[in-house]
Amino acid sequence: MVREIIMFGDPVLRKKGAAVEEVTPEIRQLAEDMLETMREAQGVGLAAPQVGESLQLAVVDVSHDPECVSFLRVNGEDASMDDIMPLVFINPVVEGSDEKDTDVEGCLSFPDLRADITRPAEVNAKLTTLDGEVLEIETDGLLARAIQHEVDHLFGVLFIDRMSTARKLAIKKTLKELQRTYSQSQS
Ligand code: NI
């Protein structure tokens, strides 16, 4: 089922998600719904708070662009994109490299807003699957960026928090309007 995507302004986007202690049928259904919702919205990732569930659960799918990373290792072995996509994970632990990379990002909770965001270029991400397996993913490029963006969501952090001061100033009015619209209409 496609769920409604929560927009910036709704307080749920600022809450730290609870760790998923037990993968119930409801959690599996939620993950299915999130994949469907992400695809319909043509996004490359979606986090549970964006559908109103304050949980550490997210989905990522960059399989449309297998060339978007220069390397991909899963549990220490070279892997291909198809081996792990779509990614559905809970309770992530992510470490970023000191080396940074800047690229344009958007977010399904911010209609029509895109901006350059600087983040660690590479990640080491320990992602738990719904079957309890821990995938240690080392990668860069769009996949590293998408994982970091979604993991941020699970801790109440949004991409606007990582924009340059100048960019944030430039969109101050847009953000205020979004906040005004969505802080009252929903939860
Ligand atoms: Ni987002």
Side-chain angles (χ1 to χ4, degrees), residues 71-140:
F71 72 99
L72 174 60
R73 279 193 296 272
V74 180
N75 300 333
E77 310 262 336
D78 287 333
S80 78
M81 206 60 106
D82 288 343
D83 295 337
I84 54 163
M85 292 292 142
L87 270 176
V88 176
F89 60 89
I90 56 175
N91 311 337
V93 179
V94 176
E95 273 174 60
S97 60
D98 292 335
E99 191 199 333
K100 303 283 195 263
D101 176 50
T102 302
D103 207 346
V104 69
E105 273 183 40
C107 177
L108 295 176
S109 294
F110 293 81
D112 306 324
L113 184 60
R114 292 173 71 74
D116 278 344
I117 306 290
T118 301
R119 295 183 184 274
E122 299 179 7
V123 288
N124 177 310
K126 294 188 180 70
L127 309 179
T128 304
T129 70
L130 296 189
D131 296 321
E133 190 188 353
V134 179
L135 299 178
E136 183 178 356
I137 295 180
E138 296 165 275
T139 192
D140 64 353

Short mmCIF file of all heavy atoms in Angstrom, two decimals, residues 71-140:
data_model
loop_
_atom_site.label_atom_id
_atom_site.label_comp_id
_atom_site.label_asym_id
_atom_site.label_seq_id
_atom_site.Cartn_x
_atom_site.Cartn_y
_atom_site.Cartn_z
N PHE A 71 33.04 1.43 -5.81
CA PHE A 71 33.29 0.11 -5.22
C PHE A 71 32.13 -0.25 -4.30
O PHE A 71 31.40 0.63 -3.84
CB PHE A 71 34.61 0.06 -4.44
CG PHE A 71 34.57 0.84 -3.15
CD1 PHE A 71 34.37 0.18 -1.94
CD2 PHE A 71 34.71 2.22 -3.12
CE1 PHE A 71 34.33 0.89 -0.73
CE2 PHE A 71 34.66 2.94 -1.93
CZ PHE A 71 34.47 2.27 -0.73
N LEU A 72 31.96 -1.54 -4.08
CA LEU A 72 30.90 -2.01 -3.18
C LEU A 72 31.37 -3.32 -2.56
O LEU A 72 31.64 -4.30 -3.26
CB LEU A 72 29.60 -2.24 -3.97
CG LEU A 72 28.43 -2.86 -3.20
CD1 LEU A 72 28.01 -2.00 -2.02
CD2 LEU A 72 27.24 -3.09 -4.14
N ARG A 73 31.51 -3.30 -1.24
CA ARG A 73 31.87 -4.52 -0.52
C ARG A 73 30.79 -4.83 0.50
O ARG A 73 30.30 -3.91 1.19
CB ARG A 73 33.22 -4.35 0.18
CG ARG A 73 34.41 -4.56 -0.74
CD ARG A 73 35.72 -4.70 0.03
NE ARG A 73 36.05 -3.48 0.75
CZ ARG A 73 36.75 -2.48 0.22
NH1 ARG A 73 37.20 -2.55 -1.02
NH2 ARG A 73 37.01 -1.41 0.94
N VAL A 74 30.42 -6.08 0.58
CA VAL A 74 29.44 -6.52 1.57
C VAL A 74 30.11 -7.59 2.42
O VAL A 74 30.58 -8.60 1.88
CB VAL A 74 28.15 -7.05 0.91
CG1 VAL A 74 27.16 -7.50 1.97
CG2 VAL A 74 27.53 -5.97 0.02
N ASN A 75 30.16 -7.36 3.71
CA ASN A 75 30.85 -8.28 4.64
C ASN A 75 32.25 -8.63 4.14
O ASN A 75 32.69 -9.78 4.18
CB ASN A 75 30.01 -9.54 4.87
CG ASN A 75 28.65 -9.20 5.47
OD1 ASN A 75 28.49 -8.19 6.14
ND2 ASN A 75 27.66 -10.03 5.22
N GLY A 76 32.95 -7.61 3.64
CA GLY A 76 34.34 -7.78 3.25
C GLY A 76 34.57 -8.31 1.84
O GLY A 76 35.71 -8.38 1.39
N GLU A 77 33.50 -8.69 1.14
CA GLU A 77 33.65 -9.25 -0.21
C GLU A 77 33.10 -8.29 -1.26
O GLU A 77 32.08 -7.64 -1.01
CB GLU A 77 32.84 -10.55 -0.33
CG GLU A 77 33.05 -11.56 0.75
CD GLU A 77 34.06 -12.64 0.33
OE1 GLU A 77 34.20 -12.84 -0.90
OE2 GLU A 77 34.68 -13.23 1.22
N ASP A 78 33.74 -8.25 -2.41
CA ASP A 78 33.19 -7.46 -3.52
C ASP A 78 31.79 -7.97 -3.86
O ASP A 78 31.56 -9.17 -3.92
CB ASP A 78 34.08 -7.57 -4.77
CG ASP A 78 35.37 -6.79 -4.59
OD1 ASP A 78 35.36 -5.81 -3.82
OD2 ASP A 78 36.38 -7.17 -5.20
N ALA A 79 30.89 -7.03 -4.08
CA ALA A 79 29.50 -7.43 -4.35
C ALA A 79 28.97 -6.59 -5.49
O ALA A 79 29.53 -5.55 -5.84
CB ALA A 79 28.65 -7.22 -3.10
N SER A 80 27.89 -7.05 -6.10
CA SER A 80 27.26 -6.25 -7.14
C SER A 80 25.97 -5.66 -6.56
O SER A 80 25.42 -6.16 -5.58
CB SER A 80 26.96 -7.09 -8.38
OG SER A 80 25.82 -7.87 -8.16
N MET A 81 25.54 -4.60 -7.19
CA MET A 81 24.37 -3.86 -6.74
C MET A 81 23.16 -4.79 -6.60
O MET A 81 22.41 -4.71 -5.63
CB MET A 81 24.10 -2.77 -7.78
CG MET A 81 23.38 -1.58 -7.27
SD MET A 81 24.27 -0.74 -5.96
CE MET A 81 24.84 0.68 -6.86
N ASP A 82 23.00 -5.69 -7.57
CA ASP A 82 21.83 -6.58 -7.57
C ASP A 82 21.79 -7.49 -6.34
O ASP A 82 20.73 -7.96 -5.95
CB ASP A 82 21.83 -7.46 -8.83
CG ASP A 82 21.47 -6.65 -10.06
OD1 ASP A 82 20.93 -5.54 -9.88
OD2 ASP A 82 21.75 -7.12 -11.19
N ASP A 83 22.98 -7.76 -5.76
CA ASP A 83 23.03 -8.66 -4.60
C ASP A 83 22.26 -8.08 -3.41
O ASP A 83 21.77 -8.82 -2.57
CB ASP A 83 24.48 -8.89 -4.14
CG ASP A 83 25.30 -9.64 -5.19
OD1 ASP A 83 24.68 -10.32 -6.03
OD2 ASP A 83 26.53 -9.52 -5.16
N ILE A 84 22.21 -6.75 -3.32
CA ILE A 84 21.68 -6.16 -2.07
C ILE A 84 20.48 -5.22 -2.26
O ILE A 84 19.91 -4.76 -1.29
CB ILE A 84 22.79 -5.40 -1.30
CG1 ILE A 84 23.47 -4.36 -2.19
CG2 ILE A 84 23.81 -6.38 -0.72
CD1 ILE A 84 24.26 -3.34 -1.40
N MET A 85 20.10 -4.96 -3.52
CA MET A 85 18.99 -4.02 -3.75
C MET A 85 17.66 -4.76 -3.89
O MET A 85 17.64 -5.83 -4.51
CB MET A 85 19.24 -3.20 -5.02
CG MET A 85 20.38 -2.24 -4.91
SD MET A 85 20.00 -0.91 -3.74
CE MET A 85 21.60 -0.72 -2.97
N PRO A 86 16.55 -4.21 -3.40
CA PRO A 86 16.51 -3.01 -2.57
C PRO A 86 16.98 -3.31 -1.15
O PRO A 86 16.77 -4.40 -0.65
CB PRO A 86 15.02 -2.64 -2.56
CG PRO A 86 14.31 -3.95 -2.73
CD PRO A 86 15.21 -4.79 -3.59
N LEU A 87 17.61 -2.33 -0.55
CA LEU A 87 18.04 -2.46 0.84
C LEU A 87 16.88 -2.11 1.77
O LEU A 87 16.25 -1.06 1.61
CB LEU A 87 19.16 -1.46 1.12
CG LEU A 87 20.61 -1.85 0.90
CD1 LEU A 87 21.48 -0.62 1.16
CD2 LEU A 87 21.02 -2.99 1.81
N VAL A 88 16.62 -2.99 2.71
CA VAL A 88 15.63 -2.72 3.76
C VAL A 88 16.35 -2.96 5.06
O VAL A 88 16.86 -4.07 5.28
CB VAL A 88 14.41 -3.67 3.65
CG1 VAL A 88 13.45 -3.42 4.80
CG2 VAL A 88 13.70 -3.49 2.30
N PHE A 89 16.47 -1.96 5.91
CA PHE A 89 17.30 -2.17 7.10
C PHE A 89 16.74 -1.48 8.35
O PHE A 89 15.99 -0.51 8.26
CB PHE A 89 18.74 -1.72 6.85
CG PHE A 89 18.90 -0.26 6.48
CD1 PHE A 89 19.07 0.70 7.47
CD2 PHE A 89 18.89 0.14 5.15
CE1 PHE A 89 19.24 2.05 7.13
CE2 PHE A 89 19.05 1.48 4.81
CZ PHE A 89 19.22 2.43 5.80
N ILE A 90 17.15 -2.06 9.49
CA ILE A 90 16.78 -1.49 10.79
C ILE A 90 18.05 -1.20 11.59
O ILE A 90 19.11 -1.77 11.32
CB ILE A 90 15.85 -2.45 11.59
CG1 ILE A 90 16.52 -3.82 11.77
CG2 ILE A 90 14.50 -2.60 10.90
CD1 ILE A 90 15.73 -4.78 12.66
N ASN A 91 17.90 -0.31 12.56
CA ASN A 91 18.94 -0.06 13.59
C ASN A 91 20.35 0.10 13.02
O ASN A 91 21.28 -0.61 13.43
CB ASN A 91 18.92 -1.20 14.61
CG ASN A 91 17.52 -1.50 15.11
OD1 ASN A 91 16.63 -0.66 15.04
ND2 ASN A 91 17.30 -2.71 15.61
N PRO A 92 20.56 1.01 12.07
CA PRO A 92 21.86 1.13 11.41
C PRO A 92 22.93 1.77 12.29
O PRO A 92 22.62 2.57 13.17
CB PRO A 92 21.56 2.05 10.23
CG PRO A 92 20.44 2.91 10.71
CD PRO A 92 19.60 2.00 11.57
N VAL A 93 24.17 1.37 12.02
CA VAL A 93 25.33 2.04 12.62
C VAL A 93 26.24 2.41 11.47
O VAL A 93 26.71 1.53 10.74
CB VAL A 93 26.07 1.10 13.60
CG1 VAL A 93 27.28 1.81 14.20
CG2 VAL A 93 25.13 0.61 14.70
N VAL A 94 26.47 3.71 11.27
CA VAL A 94 27.21 4.16 10.10
C VAL A 94 28.41 5.00 10.48
O VAL A 94 28.31 5.90 11.32
CB VAL A 94 26.28 4.99 9.16
CG1 VAL A 94 27.08 5.54 7.99
CG2 VAL A 94 25.14 4.13 8.65
N GLU A 95 29.54 4.67 9.88
CA GLU A 95 30.74 5.50 10.03
C GLU A 95 31.09 6.07 8.67
O GLU A 95 31.11 5.34 7.67
CB GLU A 95 31.91 4.65 10.50
CG GLU A 95 32.01 4.50 12.01
CD GLU A 95 33.12 3.52 12.36
OE1 GLU A 95 34.28 3.80 12.00
OE2 GLU A 95 32.79 2.49 12.97
N GLY A 96 31.41 7.36 8.64
CA GLY A 96 31.79 8.01 7.39
C GLY A 96 33.28 8.27 7.33
O GLY A 96 33.94 8.37 8.37
N SER A 97 33.79 8.36 6.11
CA SER A 97 35.22 8.64 5.92
C SER A 97 35.51 10.11 6.21
O SER A 97 34.61 10.94 6.20
CB SER A 97 35.61 8.33 4.47
OG SER A 97 34.84 9.13 3.58
N ASP A 98 36.79 10.42 6.43
CA ASP A 98 37.19 11.82 6.61
C ASP A 98 37.07 12.57 5.29
O ASP A 98 36.77 13.75 5.27
CB ASP A 98 38.63 11.91 7.12
CG ASP A 98 38.74 11.36 8.54
OD1 ASP A 98 37.71 11.38 9.26
OD2 ASP A 98 39.84 10.91 8.92
N GLU A 99 37.30 11.86 4.21
CA GLU A 99 37.21 12.48 2.89
C GLU A 99 35.74 12.83 2.62
O GLU A 99 34.85 12.02 2.87
CB GLU A 99 37.71 11.49 1.84
CG GLU A 99 37.90 12.11 0.48
CD GLU A 99 37.94 11.03 -0.63
OE1 GLU A 99 38.32 9.90 -0.32
OE2 GLU A 99 37.57 11.37 -1.76
N LYS A 100 35.52 14.05 2.09
CA LYS A 100 34.15 14.50 1.86
C LYS A 100 33.85 14.59 0.37
O LYS A 100 34.75 14.63 -0.47
CB LYS A 100 33.95 15.90 2.49
CG LYS A 100 34.25 15.96 3.97
CD LYS A 100 33.14 15.37 4.80
CE LYS A 100 33.24 15.73 6.27
NZ LYS A 100 33.90 14.68 7.07
N ASP A 101 32.56 14.64 0.08
CA ASP A 101 32.11 14.72 -1.30
C ASP A 101 30.85 15.59 -1.31
O ASP A 101 30.02 15.50 -0.40
CB ASP A 101 31.79 13.30 -1.79
CG ASP A 101 31.23 13.28 -3.20
OD1 ASP A 101 31.84 13.91 -4.07
OD2 ASP A 101 30.18 12.65 -3.41
N THR A 102 30.73 16.44 -2.33
CA THR A 102 29.56 17.31 -2.42
C THR A 102 28.75 16.96 -3.66
O THR A 102 29.32 16.81 -4.75
CB THR A 102 29.99 18.80 -2.49
OG1 THR A 102 30.76 19.09 -1.32
CG2 THR A 102 28.79 19.72 -2.55
N ASP A 103 27.45 16.80 -3.48
CA ASP A 103 26.60 16.51 -4.64
C ASP A 103 25.19 17.01 -4.33
O ASP A 103 24.85 17.30 -3.18
CB ASP A 103 26.58 15.01 -4.94
CG ASP A 103 26.29 14.72 -6.42
OD1 ASP A 103 25.85 15.64 -7.14
OD2 ASP A 103 26.51 13.58 -6.84
N VAL A 104 24.38 17.08 -5.37
CA VAL A 104 23.04 17.62 -5.20
C VAL A 104 22.12 16.54 -4.59
O VAL A 104 22.22 15.37 -4.93
CB VAL A 104 22.51 18.17 -6.54
CG1 VAL A 104 22.25 17.06 -7.53
CG2 VAL A 104 21.26 19.02 -6.33
N GLU A 105 21.28 16.98 -3.65
CA GLU A 105 20.34 16.07 -3.00
C GLU A 105 18.95 16.67 -2.97
O GLU A 105 18.78 17.88 -2.94
CB GLU A 105 20.75 15.84 -1.51
CG GLU A 105 21.73 14.73 -1.31
CD GLU A 105 22.05 14.49 0.16
OE1 GLU A 105 21.14 14.54 1.02
OE2 GLU A 105 23.24 14.23 0.43
N GLY A 106 17.98 15.78 -2.95
CA GLY A 106 16.62 16.19 -2.68
C GLY A 106 16.08 15.30 -1.58
O GLY A 106 16.79 14.42 -1.09
N CYS A 107 14.83 15.51 -1.19
CA CYS A 107 14.22 14.70 -0.14
C CYS A 107 12.72 14.67 -0.39
O CYS A 107 12.14 15.71 -0.69
CB CYS A 107 14.51 15.31 1.23
SG CYS A 107 13.71 14.42 2.59
N LEU A 108 12.12 13.49 -0.29
CA LEU A 108 10.69 13.38 -0.60
C LEU A 108 9.82 14.18 0.36
O LEU A 108 8.67 14.46 0.06
CB LEU A 108 10.27 11.91 -0.61
CG LEU A 108 10.91 11.05 -1.71
CD1 LEU A 108 10.49 9.59 -1.56
CD2 LEU A 108 10.55 11.56 -3.10
N SER A 109 10.38 14.60 1.49
CA SER A 109 9.61 15.40 2.45
C SER A 109 9.74 16.90 2.20
O SER A 109 9.20 17.71 2.97
CB SER A 109 10.05 15.08 3.89
OG SER A 109 9.71 13.74 4.21
N PHE A 110 10.47 17.27 1.14
CA PHE A 110 10.63 18.68 0.77
C PHE A 110 10.33 18.85 -0.70
O PHE A 110 11.23 18.71 -1.54
CB PHE A 110 12.07 19.15 1.03
CG PHE A 110 12.47 19.20 2.46
CD1 PHE A 110 12.86 18.04 3.13
CD2 PHE A 110 12.48 20.40 3.15
CE1 PHE A 110 13.25 18.07 4.46
CE2 PHE A 110 12.88 20.45 4.48
CZ PHE A 110 13.26 19.29 5.14
N PRO A 111 9.08 19.14 -1.06
CA PRO A 111 8.75 19.23 -2.48
C PRO A 111 9.60 20.28 -3.19
O PRO A 111 9.76 21.40 -2.69
CB PRO A 111 7.26 19.61 -2.47
CG PRO A 111 6.95 20.06 -1.08
CD PRO A 111 7.94 19.41 -0.19
N ASP A 112 10.18 19.89 -4.31
CA ASP A 112 10.89 20.82 -5.20
C ASP A 112 12.14 21.46 -4.63
O ASP A 112 12.62 22.46 -5.17
CB ASP A 112 9.95 21.94 -5.69
CG ASP A 112 8.70 21.38 -6.33
OD1 ASP A 112 8.82 20.33 -7.00
OD2 ASP A 112 7.62 21.98 -6.16
N LEU A 113 12.67 20.94 -3.53
CA LEU A 113 13.86 21.56 -2.97
C LEU A 113 15.07 20.67 -3.24
O LEU A 113 15.08 19.49 -2.88
CB LEU A 113 13.69 21.75 -1.46
CG LEU A 113 14.82 22.46 -0.73
CD1 LEU A 113 15.03 23.86 -1.28
CD2 LEU A 113 14.53 22.52 0.75
N ARG A 114 16.08 21.23 -3.90
CA ARG A 114 17.32 20.50 -4.12
C ARG A 114 18.48 21.39 -3.75
O ARG A 114 18.40 22.60 -3.91
CB ARG A 114 17.43 20.06 -5.59
CG ARG A 114 16.38 19.01 -5.96
CD ARG A 114 16.35 18.68 -7.43
NE ARG A 114 17.52 17.92 -7.88
CZ ARG A 114 17.73 16.64 -7.62
NH1 ARG A 114 16.86 15.97 -6.89
NH2 ARG A 114 18.79 16.02 -8.08
N ALA A 115 19.56 20.78 -3.23
CA ALA A 115 20.70 21.60 -2.84
C ALA A 115 21.95 20.74 -2.76
O ALA A 115 21.87 19.52 -2.57
CB ALA A 115 20.45 22.24 -1.48
N ASP A 116 23.10 21.39 -2.93
CA ASP A 116 24.38 20.71 -2.75
C ASP A 116 24.59 20.40 -1.28
O ASP A 116 24.45 21.29 -0.43
CB ASP A 116 25.52 21.62 -3.23
CG ASP A 116 25.69 21.55 -4.74
OD1 ASP A 116 25.15 20.60 -5.34
OD2 ASP A 116 26.35 22.43 -5.30
N ILE A 117 24.93 19.15 -0.99
CA ILE A 117 25.17 18.73 0.38
C ILE A 117 26.52 18.03 0.45
O ILE A 117 26.82 17.17 -0.38
CB ILE A 117 24.07 17.75 0.87
CG1 ILE A 117 22.66 18.34 0.69
CG2 ILE A 117 24.32 17.34 2.32
CD1 ILE A 117 22.30 19.49 1.60
N THR A 118 27.32 18.42 1.43
CA THR A 118 28.63 17.80 1.63
C THR A 118 28.52 16.73 2.72
O THR A 118 27.98 17.00 3.78
CB THR A 118 29.66 18.88 2.03
OG1 THR A 118 29.72 19.85 0.98
CG2 THR A 118 31.04 18.27 2.25
N ARG A 119 29.01 15.56 2.39
CA ARG A 119 28.98 14.43 3.33
C ARG A 119 30.25 13.62 3.16
O ARG A 119 30.93 13.73 2.14
CB ARG A 119 27.81 13.48 2.99
CG ARG A 119 26.43 14.04 3.15
CD ARG A 119 25.40 12.95 2.85
NE ARG A 119 24.04 13.46 2.89
CZ ARG A 119 23.30 13.54 4.00
NH1 ARG A 119 23.80 13.15 5.16
NH2 ARG A 119 22.06 14.01 3.96
N PRO A 120 30.54 12.72 4.14
CA PRO A 120 31.64 11.77 3.93
C PRO A 120 31.48 11.04 2.60
O PRO A 120 30.37 10.64 2.24
CB PRO A 120 31.48 10.82 5.12
CG PRO A 120 30.89 11.67 6.20
CD PRO A 120 29.93 12.60 5.47
N ALA A 121 32.58 10.90 1.87
CA ALA A 121 32.53 10.31 0.53
C ALA A 121 32.29 8.80 0.58
O ALA A 121 31.67 8.23 -0.31
CB ALA A 121 33.83 10.60 -0.21
N GLU A 122 32.80 8.17 1.66
CA GLU A 122 32.65 6.71 1.79
C GLU A 122 32.02 6.38 3.13
O GLU A 122 32.18 7.14 4.09
CB GLU A 122 34.02 6.02 1.72
CG GLU A 122 34.74 6.26 0.41
CD GLU A 122 36.11 5.59 0.36
OE1 GLU A 122 36.46 4.83 1.30
OE2 GLU A 122 36.84 5.85 -0.62
N VAL A 123 31.31 5.25 3.16
CA VAL A 123 30.73 4.82 4.43
C VAL A 123 31.09 3.36 4.73
O VAL A 123 31.33 2.56 3.83
CB VAL A 123 29.18 4.91 4.47
CG1 VAL A 123 28.72 6.34 4.53
CG2 VAL A 123 28.55 4.15 3.33
N ASN A 124 31.09 3.08 6.01
CA ASN A 124 31.06 1.70 6.51
C ASN A 124 29.76 1.62 7.29
O ASN A 124 29.62 2.25 8.34
CB ASN A 124 32.26 1.43 7.40
CG ASN A 124 32.21 0.02 7.98
OD1 ASN A 124 31.19 -0.40 8.53
ND2 ASN A 124 33.31 -0.70 7.88
N ALA A 125 28.78 0.91 6.73
CA ALA A 125 27.44 0.89 7.32
C ALA A 125 27.10 -0.53 7.77
O ALA A 125 27.17 -1.47 6.97
CB ALA A 125 26.43 1.38 6.29
N LYS A 126 26.75 -0.66 9.03
CA LYS A 126 26.28 -1.96 9.53
C LYS A 126 24.76 -1.91 9.60
O LYS A 126 24.18 -1.21 10.43
CB LYS A 126 26.89 -2.27 10.89
CG LYS A 126 28.39 -2.47 10.80
CD LYS A 126 28.99 -2.96 12.09
CE LYS A 126 30.51 -3.15 11.96
NZ LYS A 126 31.23 -1.85 11.86
N LEU A 127 24.14 -2.62 8.65
CA LEU A 127 22.70 -2.55 8.48
C LEU A 127 22.09 -3.91 8.80
O LEU A 127 22.52 -4.93 8.24
CB LEU A 127 22.35 -2.16 7.03
CG LEU A 127 23.06 -0.91 6.48
CD1 LEU A 127 22.65 -0.68 5.03
CD2 LEU A 127 22.76 0.32 7.33
N THR A 128 21.13 -3.94 9.68
CA THR A 128 20.47 -5.20 10.04
C THR A 128 19.26 -5.40 9.13
O THR A 128 18.43 -4.49 8.99
CB THR A 128 20.04 -5.19 11.51
OG1 THR A 128 21.20 -4.93 12.31
CG2 THR A 128 19.43 -6.52 11.93
N THR A 129 19.18 -6.58 8.50
CA THR A 129 18.02 -6.85 7.63
C THR A 129 16.84 -7.30 8.49
O THR A 129 16.99 -7.56 9.69
CB THR A 129 18.33 -7.99 6.63
OG1 THR A 129 18.43 -9.22 7.36
CG2 THR A 129 19.62 -7.72 5.87
N LEU A 130 15.68 -7.43 7.87
CA LEU A 130 14.49 -7.85 8.63
C LEU A 130 14.63 -9.31 9.09
O LEU A 130 13.91 -9.74 9.99
CB LEU A 130 13.23 -7.68 7.77
CG LEU A 130 12.88 -6.24 7.40
CD1 LEU A 130 11.50 -6.19 6.74
CD2 LEU A 130 12.95 -5.30 8.59
N ASP A 131 15.56 -10.05 8.50
CA ASP A 131 15.79 -11.43 8.94
C ASP A 131 16.88 -11.53 10.00
O ASP A 131 17.30 -12.63 10.37
CB ASP A 131 16.14 -12.31 7.73
CG ASP A 131 14.98 -12.39 6.75
OD1 ASP A 131 13.82 -12.47 7.21
OD2 ASP A 131 15.22 -12.34 5.53
N GLY A 132 17.35 -10.39 10.45
CA GLY A 132 18.31 -10.38 11.55
C GLY A 132 19.76 -10.51 11.13
O GLY A 132 20.65 -10.57 11.97
N GLU A 133 19.99 -10.54 9.83
CA GLU A 133 21.36 -10.61 9.32
C GLU A 133 21.97 -9.21 9.33
O GLU A 133 21.29 -8.24 9.00
CB GLU A 133 21.30 -11.15 7.88
CG GLU A 133 22.65 -11.51 7.29
CD GLU A 133 22.56 -11.84 5.79
OE1 GLU A 133 21.42 -11.92 5.27
OE2 GLU A 133 23.60 -12.01 5.17
N VAL A 134 23.25 -9.12 9.74
CA VAL A 134 23.91 -7.82 9.68
C VAL A 134 24.76 -7.74 8.42
O VAL A 134 25.64 -8.57 8.20
CB VAL A 134 24.78 -7.56 10.92
CG1 VAL A 134 25.48 -6.20 10.80
CG2 VAL A 134 23.94 -7.60 12.19
N LEU A 135 24.46 -6.75 7.57
CA LEU A 135 25.25 -6.51 6.36
C LEU A 135 26.21 -5.38 6.65
O LEU A 135 25.77 -4.28 7.03
CB LEU A 135 24.35 -6.10 5.19
CG LEU A 135 23.27 -7.08 4.72
CD1 LEU A 135 22.48 -6.43 3.58
CD2 LEU A 135 23.91 -8.39 4.25
N GLU A 136 27.49 -5.64 6.49
CA GLU A 136 28.46 -4.55 6.61
C GLU A 136 28.76 -4.06 5.20
O GLU A 136 29.39 -4.77 4.41
CB GLU A 136 29.73 -5.03 7.30
CG GLU A 136 30.71 -3.89 7.50
CD GLU A 136 31.98 -4.32 8.23
OE1 GLU A 136 32.08 -5.48 8.64
OE2 GLU A 136 32.87 -3.46 8.37
N ILE A 137 28.28 -2.89 4.89
CA ILE A 137 28.40 -2.37 3.53
C ILE A 137 29.43 -1.25 3.48
O ILE A 137 29.34 -0.28 4.24
CB ILE A 137 27.02 -1.85 3.03
CG1 ILE A 137 26.06 -3.04 2.94
CG2 ILE A 137 27.16 -1.15 1.68
CD1 ILE A 137 24.69 -2.69 2.46
N GLU A 138 30.41 -1.42 2.60
CA GLU A 138 31.40 -0.36 2.37
C GLU A 138 31.23 0.10 0.94
O GLU A 138 31.30 -0.71 0.01
CB GLU A 138 32.81 -0.91 2.58
CG GLU A 138 33.08 -1.36 3.99
CD GLU A 138 34.33 -2.22 4.07
OE1 GLU A 138 34.21 -3.44 3.85
OE2 GLU A 138 35.41 -1.67 4.33
N THR A 139 31.01 1.40 0.78
CA THR A 139 30.79 1.90 -0.58
C THR A 139 30.96 3.42 -0.61
O THR A 139 31.29 4.05 0.41
CB THR A 139 29.38 1.48 -1.08
OG1 THR A 139 29.29 1.73 -2.49
CG2 THR A 139 28.27 2.23 -0.36
N ASP A 140 30.72 4.00 -1.81
CA ASP A 140 30.83 5.45 -1.97
C ASP A 140 29.71 5.90 -2.91
O ASP A 140 28.72 5.18 -3.08
CB ASP A 140 32.23 5.84 -2.50
CG ASP A 140 32.51 5.29 -3.91
OD1 ASP A 140 31.68 4.50 -4.43
OD2 ASP A 140 33.54 5.65 -4.49
#
